[in-house]
Amino acid sequence: MRKIIHCDCDCFYAAVEMRDNSALRDIPIAIGGSVEQRGVVATCNYPAREFGIHSAMPMAQALKRCPHLTVIRGEMAKYKEVARQVFAIYRDVTELIEPLSLDEAFLDVSETTLHHGSATLMAEAIRERVSREVGITVSAGVAPNKFLAKIASDWNKPDGLCVITPDKVDSFVQQLPVKKIHGVGPRTAEKLAGLDIHTCADLRTRTLTDLVEHFGRFGRRLHELSWGRDERPVKTHRERKSVSTEQTYAQDLPDLDACRRELPALIEDLERRYARLDPPLAVRGLIVKVKFSDFTQTTVEHADPAPNLEQFETLLNVGWARGERPVRLLGVGYRLADNSQEHQLSLF
């Protein structure tokens, strides 16, 4: 049985700013783009969250909810350096680390002998060192698998620790709301509620066939997680699945023709990003993202190993037709083949 720790820095960018400027500690702050550039909130501190502000919220909306909100542009180079310090502490515990972002990671400590092999003591030691040496707080979850460890790290936030021992897995999972499952967004949660499924215990009353019928492949995943099963290993090297770029416009693009005129510049930037990939990965599909003026958004994909402007235009036509209103953001991307797929292709 594995011992997994999920570590998640609390409101990371905001925490670094509060560490470096004590005057920010007790006032609502948000890190992100300016209102003039139609920026969004990258993260915010807990005083700001009391006003209903959250990540990915338009900054203009955040300022409406909290007019005295302090907006900070942020310094990515500084955040990366702080993340490097935090991950160095993780590596003193184990080399089996799967980064999910700058501020969170899975650690497999199954074979680690530190602290008499106690994953709980390791998590406590990590949190204490990050607080003392880096000056920010980390919440941690300890469990027999990645699914439960990630949920546990959020259980007692901020600056918390939650441990789910093997003998507590079943009772913990049964009472777990399905909306806590990664991948269950608002629409899926609404669909589950329509089927009178609110907890993992409710999920267990449904057969695998029934769940697959309603949710496709995700139904199988829901079935497994409702029993607390997750056999995914911690991967020290993550395969890149896509490369993309997007642009939020200072003025909404009024119609489809205006959106089409923006495509060449977006595709040019996408090509630059793709050319920097090392190692290079084959393209297996195209992606177009459209966010409308009312903040609804849609993504259109098409499998094709030889993308061109006309194909992106076709996807844009489909995406725009789903809203047929002014557009505030456009994005384009490539879906990438993984190394195993490339190897399979090379055999033929």
Side-chain angles (χ1 to χ4, degrees), residues 256 259-261 263-264 267 286-290 298-304 306-322 330-332:
L256 180 57
C259 293
R260 285 175 178 154
R261 288 194 292 270
L263 272 183
I267 294 171
L286 292 70
I287 310 165
V288 169
K289 175 182 175 182
V290 182
T298 186
T299 302
V300 190
E301 295 192 39
H302 175 66
D304 197 307
N308 57 49
L309 176 59
E310 288 185 1
Q311 292 166 325
F312 278 113
E313 285 183 342
T314 299
L315 296 185
L316 175 61
N317 293 344
V318 173
W320 190 85
R322 293 174 179 174
L330 282 178
V332 296

Side-chain angles (χ1 to χ4, degrees), residues 27 57 75 110-111 117 126 162 167-168 186 204 228 261 268 294 330 332-333 341:
I27 64 173
M57 173 180 284
E75 300 177 46
S110 306
E111 304 300 325
I126 287 170
C162 177
D167 60 311
K168 300 295 185 181
R204 293 183 183 185
R261 288 194 292 270
E268 183 179 348
D294 62 354
L330 282 178
V332 296
Q341 288 174 310

Side-chain angles (χ1 to χ4, degrees), residues 20-40:
D20 295 344
N21 183 354
S22 59
L24 300 175
R25 290 179 183 172
D26 299 317
I27 64 173
I29 68 171
I31 316 300
S34 66
V35 173
E36 293 76 18
Q37 296 178 335
R38 309 186 78 178
V40 298

Side-chain angles (χ1 to χ4, degrees), residues 170-187:
D170 192 63
S171 59
F172 181 89
V173 173
Q174 284 201 57
Q175 52 85 39
L176 186 68
V178 290
K179 64 183 180 181
K180 291 282 190 180
I181 297 175
H182 180 68
V184 175
R187 290 185 180 179

Side-chain angles (χ1 to χ4, degrees), residues 251-307:
Q251 299 294 327
D252 290 339
L253 304 177
D255 52 33
L256 180 57
D257 285 340
C259 293
R260 285 175 178 154
R261 288 194 292 270
E262 298 296 329
L263 272 183
L266 284 168
I267 294 171
E268 183 179 348
D269 186 48
L270 174 62
E271 285 292 340
R272 283 195 295 267
R273 292 168 183 256
Y274 176 67
R276 292 199 294 264
L277 294 183
D278 185 20
L281 296 173
V283 174
R284 66 178 179 89
L286 292 70
I287 310 165
V288 169
K289 175 182 175 182
V290 182
K291 181 179 286 187
F292 298 102
S293 56
D294 62 354
F295 297 99
T296 60
Q297 69 180 45
T298 186
T299 302
V300 190
E301 295 192 39
H302 175 66
D304 197 307

Side-chain angles (χ1 to χ4, degrees), residues 61-76:
Q61 185 178 344
L63 284 165
K64 285 181 180 179
R65 295 192 177 193
C66 179
H68 57 288
L69 178 71
T70 297
V71 178
I72 301 171
R73 184 67 180 176
E75 300 177 46
M76 189 53 66

Side-chain angles (χ1 to χ4, degrees), residues 96-112:
L96 296 178
I97 301 171
E98 181 178 339
L100 300 180
S101 62
L102 281 180
D103 60 340
E104 65 173 317
F106 286 114
L107 286 66
D108 188 332
V109 296
S110 306
E111 304 300 325
T112 303

